[in-house]
Amino acid sequence: MDNIVNNLWDHSISARTRTQYKVGLDCYIKFALLRGVSNNASDLPPISERLLIYFVAFCDEHLKLAYTTIKLYLSGIRYFYLRIKGFNPLQNSVGQNSACLQSILTGVKKKQSLYSISKRTRLPITLSILKKMCNLLRSGILDMFTSYMFEAACTVAFFGFLRCGEFTVHSDVHYDDYVSTEDVICHDTFVTITLKKSKTDPFRHGVQIKLFKTNTDVCPVNAISKYLTLRSRVFRKQPMPFFVTKEGSILTRAFFINTLKVLLSHLGLNSDLYNGHSFRIGAATTAQEARIEDHLIKTLGRWSSNCYTTYIHTSPSVIQSAQQQIASTVL
């Protein structure tokens, strides 16, 4: 039964999350040793709210870790102590979150926000920017295979409101749940893509996205069709991952972001202000500018709450138009 239970524990989180959690646990174990907390090498060290508070302070002051990373490390500690020891070290004896620890975390969050020199801004890649990128790719700035693949990936990311991690992987060595050739089904007027992993699909049932022909120069269906035609000519044995480089390697986040920054720089844009999430933000922003109804934007982006409104960047021209409309109501 132990093997069965361990297998279920393994399936409770993804392999990548488990790796990140292990980093957090290892960091705590090293910290405990520095504090002189003795423990058996084959067991987890003692833990208490006070030790965790000191650990958070150590991560903030000495390791210079971001608030989000510290939270991730605490989640890892919680996971392994639940799994091995059977209790949640982040809660007190009555199952409530440790009040002092939560206050310290709030302090870290406010401190880092207060002393942050510059808050990282992610600008949207709107349809107008996407169109310029596609034209640049068609001009031959990159090799043909990379251009076709990248246009397909970008248009899918935009019209599918995708997060970068939904169509790329972090490493070409350790990866799982990538978009495979079997996950992409082409029809005459639309393409169906099944995402095996998604933030809104915690139980990994799979999420199907339909992308239709736009009948414009920027079209995910046409881009995928061109990419598949070239792909079949380049590779005799078709790679299982759908998005691949010209060498046949799976599309990694690093490769995608680096190529994206090259294109944006050639367009005269500050590439540091954009990242893989800019397509999802840009899709929401463009949809709002196109006066798509709120509930449809929510559906297109697979949002379960109204948090999608934070993704929408309202341009000065839209604000100007709104103010003029307000002013025009005066008789």
Side-chain angles (χ1 to χ4, degrees):
M1 290 298 292
D2 286 344
N3 289 336
I4 296 175
V5 171
N6 283 328
N7 188 44
L8 292 174
W9 272 111
D10 288 341
H11 279 82
S12 66
I13 55 177
S14 69
R16 178 168 168 263
T17 299
R18 189 162 52 253
T19 299
Q20 293 174 328
Y21 279 3
K22 186 63 167 58
V23 173
L25 177 66
D26 290 342
C27 186
Y28 173 73
I29 292 174
K30 292 177 182 177
F31 166 77
L33 290 173
L34 289 174
R35 295 285 301 178
V37 178
S38 59
N39 69 289
N40 189 320
S42 63
D43 198 5
L44 296 177
I47 196 166
S48 66
E49 183 180 30
R50 192 169 189 81
L51 271 173
L52 286 173
I53 287 173
Y54 288 148
F55 174 67
V56 169
F58 176 77
C59 289
D60 173 54
E61 187 66 25
H62 295 282
L63 300 183
K64 306 298 182 184
L65 298 180
Y67 168 77
T68 52
T69 303
I70 297 173
K71 288 275 288 183
L72 179 66
Y73 280 13
L74 289 175
S75 295
I77 293 168
R78 171 187 175 275
Y79 171 80
F80 283 104
Y81 273 83
L82 275 172
R83 178 170 180 169
I84 298 171
K85 292 289 191 178
F87 71 92
N88 182 356
L90 308 187
Q91 293 182 341
N92 57 28
S93 58
V94 293
Q96 297 175 330
N97 289 334
S98 300
C100 292
L101 178 60
Q102 293 305 313
S103 296
I104 293 298
L105 283 169
T106 301
V108 170
K109 184 177 182 180
K110 290 185 176 180
K111 173 195 168 188
Q112 292 189 1
S113 176
L114 180 64
Y115 290 102
S116 176
I117 297 176
S118 62
K119 186 176 181 182
R120 187 178 182 186
T121 303
R122 293 180 298 183
L123 293 184
I125 292 178
T126 58
L127 183 60
S128 60
I129 295 177
L130 177 60
K131 184 175 182 178
K132 292 176 182 178
M133 287 173 54
C134 291
N135 289 334
L136 188 59
L137 287 168
R138 295 166 193 167
S139 71
I141 188 172
L142 303 175
D143 63 90
M144 182 180 291
F145 187 91
T146 302
S147 296
Y148 278 35
M149 181 276 291
F150 207 78
E151 181 175 346
C154 289
T155 53
V156 166
F158 180 86
F159 288 101
F161 285 66
L162 298 187
R163 302 170 181 85
C164 192
E166 291 175 332
F167 63 97
T168 67
V169 298
H170 274 267
S171 169
D172 58 359
V173 178
H174 299 100
Y175 59 87
D176 57 357
D177 297 335
Y178 57 86
V179 177
S180 69
T181 53
E182 297 176 350
D183 296 325
V184 181
I185 301 176
C186 298
H187 304 272
D188 290 338
T189 58
F190 67 93
V191 173
T192 300
I193 300 177
T194 301
L195 303 178
K196 291 193 282 288
K197 65 172 181 177
S198 175
K199 186 177 179 180
T200 54
D201 180 32
F203 297 107
R204 304 296 177 93
H205 295 309
V207 176
Q208 273 199 350
I209 297 175
K210 285 186 177 180
L211 302 176
F212 291 85
K213 278 191 174 181
T214 62
N215 298 318
T216 66
D217 289 340
V218 183
C219 176
V221 177
N222 290 342
I224 287 176
S225 177
K226 287 168 54 181
Y227 167 58
L228 283 176
T229 301
L230 180 61
R231 191 179 190 274
S232 63
R233 294 206 309 261
V234 172
F235 300 107
R236 291 183 180 179
K237 184 179 180 181
Q238 293 296 302
M240 280 303 294
F242 183 73
F243 292 115
V244 293
T245 66
K246 61 183 179 181
E247 292 81 17
S249 302
I250 191 169
L251 177 63
T252 63
R253 181 185 181 89
F255 182 91
F256 182 80
I257 297 299
N258 290 338
T259 307
L260 173 65
K261 288 183 178 295
V262 169
L263 295 179
L264 292 172
S265 295
H266 273 81
L267 292 176
L269 299 172
N270 184 351
S271 62
D272 291 336
L273 301 180
Y274 299 84
N275 65 10
H277 217 64
S278 292
F279 289 96
R280 184 169 170 83
I281 301 171
T285 300
T286 304
Q288 188 262 348
E289 292 178 349
R291 301 184 182 232
I292 303 297
E293 294 181 23
D294 289 352
H295 73 276
L296 283 179
I297 297 178
K298 190 173 178 180
T299 299
L300 287 167
R302 307 177 307 285
W303 281 288
S304 57
S305 67
N306 291 329
C307 68
Y308 71 91
T309 56
T310 63
Y311 282 68
I312 297 173
H313 288 230
T314 305
S315 66
S317 61
V318 172
I319 295 175
Q320 178 186 16
S321 177
Q323 291 173 347
Q324 290 173 346
Q325 287 183 44
I326 293 172
S328 67
T329 60
V330 179
L331 298 177

